[in-house]
Amino acid sequence: MPLRPPAAPQAEERFAHALAPVALQPRANDGYVHFGDAVMLFNQATDGCLACDPQEPLSDETFATSSTWYTEPCARNTFEVARYEGRGDKKDAMFDFSGDDVVHFGQKIQIRCRAQLLPEQSCLTSHPRTPTSFSRYSRNQEVVMARRGDWSTVWEVQYLDPQFKMEMEGQPVPTNAPVALIHCGTHQHLASDVVKYRNDFGTEYETFCKTFSDVMKGQLGVRERVMLGDCNRWCFVTVLPGGEDEAPDSALDAPAPEQ
């Protein structure tokens, strides 16, 4: 028996809750991402931002994500970056981030829904692609929100340029600058592309895990290096540029470290 569509008042209440405005108020105006900040994650390929929908369940404990064209800060497209408190890997012993609320390259993090949207803890997660588990349209590795906080919900922020990737580990992550997010459990990068994803909010774009590579020519005497593609480039936004309600400039390039 087909499900009935929700009554008009119920639908209005649902959309009002999901699209409730959020004030982006960073803990510090130092240009870095901080744990506990309300952040938006903009994707360079879609010019949209990461969003979720608790009313689109995919299993008993997971629900859908997408990249939305709606770039006003609201409950469904703002998230909180949380410190992963569980057991990490050997690389974590190289750095001591205790007592520091700034997010660093190479640090283990979780991306959680904010309490304004959902009171219980829900984190961005992914699992290896299988014949029965994959993203709906592109058939890539599925990315969803899950009501749990295990290793499958752990990510790491990476510097885009592989030439300086190792050098930048342990350095603060800047806001409004392209970075990459790698899933620690599968070592695939968070991605979005202009693959249409239709839901109750209209036509949005699909999010998934897949590593895209662009070969960039180096300078004279330097080998060509592989850069991550636009689909893997994300910006943490805690303040909209110029204080205006607009998306960040997707053409921004992350600054290279000083020599």
Side-chain angles (χ1 to χ4, degrees):
M1 183 176 180
L3 295 175
R4 292 183 177 181
Q10 293 176 329
E12 290 178 4
E13 182 178 350
R14 174 194 169 187
F15 286 116
H17 177 69
L19 301 176
V22 170
L24 297 180
Q25 296 177 337
R27 293 189 176 188
N29 293 317
D30 55 5
Y32 298 119
V33 183
H34 291 254
F35 291 112
D37 284 346
V39 302
M40 302 176 74
L41 272 167
F42 280 87
N43 180 263
Q44 188 164 320
T46 65
D47 285 328
C49 58
L50 182 70
C52 63
D53 183 9
Q55 301 301 316
E56 186 182 347
L58 302 176
S59 71
D60 291 339
E61 60 176 11
T62 63
F63 52 92
T65 63
S66 59
S67 175
T68 180
W69 51 268
Y70 187 82
T71 54
E72 301 284 344
C74 66
R76 72 179 293 255
N77 68 11
T78 56
F79 300 86
E80 177 182 333
V81 181
R83 191 191 310 269
Y84 177 62
E85 302 291 354
R87 181 179 179 181
D89 53 26
K90 292 181 179 179
K91 188 172 67 173
D92 294 339
M94 297 170 57
F95 307 102
D96 181 14
F97 301 120
S98 58
D100 193 346
D101 69 344
V102 177
V103 181
H104 299 80
F105 288 105
Q107 190 172 10
K108 304 295 186 296
I109 65 170
Q110 292 174 315
I111 299 170
R112 299 178 180 174
C113 288
R114 301 180 67 249
Q116 182 174 346
L117 179 69
L118 210 60
E120 65 265 25
Q121 175 179 303
S122 297
C123 302
L124 190 70
T125 186
S126 188
H127 287 282
R129 181 181 179 275
T130 70
T132 59
S133 177
F134 44 77
S135 57
R136 182 182 303 176
Y137 297 106
S138 63
R139 306 282 172 150
N140 289 311
Q141 184 175 310
E142 188 177 45
V143 171
V144 298
M145 299 299 297
R147 294 179 173 88
R148 59 175 181 267
D150 57 17
W151 182 248
S152 69
T153 66
V154 181
W155 304 79
E156 187 179 298
V157 187
Q158 288 187 338
Y159 195 70
L160 280 179
D161 191 337
Q163 186 175 356
F164 301 107
K165 177 182 170 183
M166 296 294 292
E167 184 176 346
M168 288 299 293
E169 287 196 346
Q171 298 300 312
V173 175
T175 59
N176 287 32
V179 297
L181 286 162
I182 190 167
H183 184 243
C184 294
T186 61
H187 298 286
Q188 291 293 319
H189 289 87
L190 181 65
S192 186
D193 202 354
V194 285
V195 178
K196 292 181 179 179
Y197 185 98
R198 295 175 177 83
N199 57 23
D200 291 343
F201 294 91
T203 300
E204 299 185 328
Y205 298 117
E206 190 172 56
T207 56
F208 48 88
C209 271
K210 182 179 178 180
T211 299
F212 293 84
S213 298
D214 287 338
V215 176
M216 296 188 65
K217 292 184 178 179
Q219 298 176 352
L220 183 64
V222 179
R223 293 181 179 178
E224 293 183 347
R225 61 188 190 272
V226 177
M227 294 281 286
L228 291 174
D230 289 350
C231 297
N232 295 132
R233 301 184 183 195
W234 300 83
C235 295
F236 285 99
V237 175
T238 56
V239 176
L240 293 180
E244 300 177 357
D245 294 330
E246 60 182 17
D249 186 357
S250 60
L252 285 174
D253 288 323
E258 296 181 0
Q259 299 295 317

